[in-house]
């Protein structure tokens, strides 16, 4: 298995787009990732309900193992 990519979720606009893009690219390439500081610059940092829906759908499609998939979590590991 490939080594996990580390992604700082506070970079750029610091919103959910980093999460959604990371999930899509991981599914396409098979590359696992660890996303930290999820939505750090937002008034309510961490995963919201709509983000968890994306994570759960991607995990089901890719048969992935996920850690940190809970409301308000500021990190996610997707293998």
């Amino acid at each position: 298995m490939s080594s996990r990519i580390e992604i700082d979720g506070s970079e750029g606009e610091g919103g959910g787009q980093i999460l959604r893009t990371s999930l899509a690219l991981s599914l396409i390439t098979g590359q696992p990732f660890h996303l930290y500081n999820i939505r750090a610059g937002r008034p309510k940092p961490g995963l919201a309900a709509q983000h968890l829906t994306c994570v759960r759908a991607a995990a089901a499609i890719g048969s992935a193992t996920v850690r940190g998939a809970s409301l308000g979590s500021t990190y996610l590991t997707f293998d």
Side-chain angles (χ1 to χ4, degrees):
M1 180 173 285
S2 302
S3 61
R4 201 177 286 130
I5 296 174
E6 296 289 322
I7 303 167
D8 185 349
S10 68
E11 290 294 322
E13 50 92 28
Q17 187 60 45
I18 293 171
L19 170 67
R20 291 186 296 274
T21 301
S22 298
L23 290 169
L25 289 172
S26 181
L27 289 173
I28 291 168
T29 65
Q31 182 72 46
F33 69 90
H34 173 239
L35 179 62
Y36 58 95
N37 292 332
I38 297 173
R39 301 178 68 243
R42 300 298 176 150
K44 291 183 180 179
L47 296 173
Q50 66 269 26
H51 305 117
L52 288 175
T53 299
C54 293
V55 170
R56 291 178 181 140
I61 291 167
S63 300
T65 301
V66 180
R67 287 178 296 285
S70 61
L71 281 177
S73 177
T74 57
Y75 79 94
L76 182 80
T77 301
F78 191 85
D79 292 315

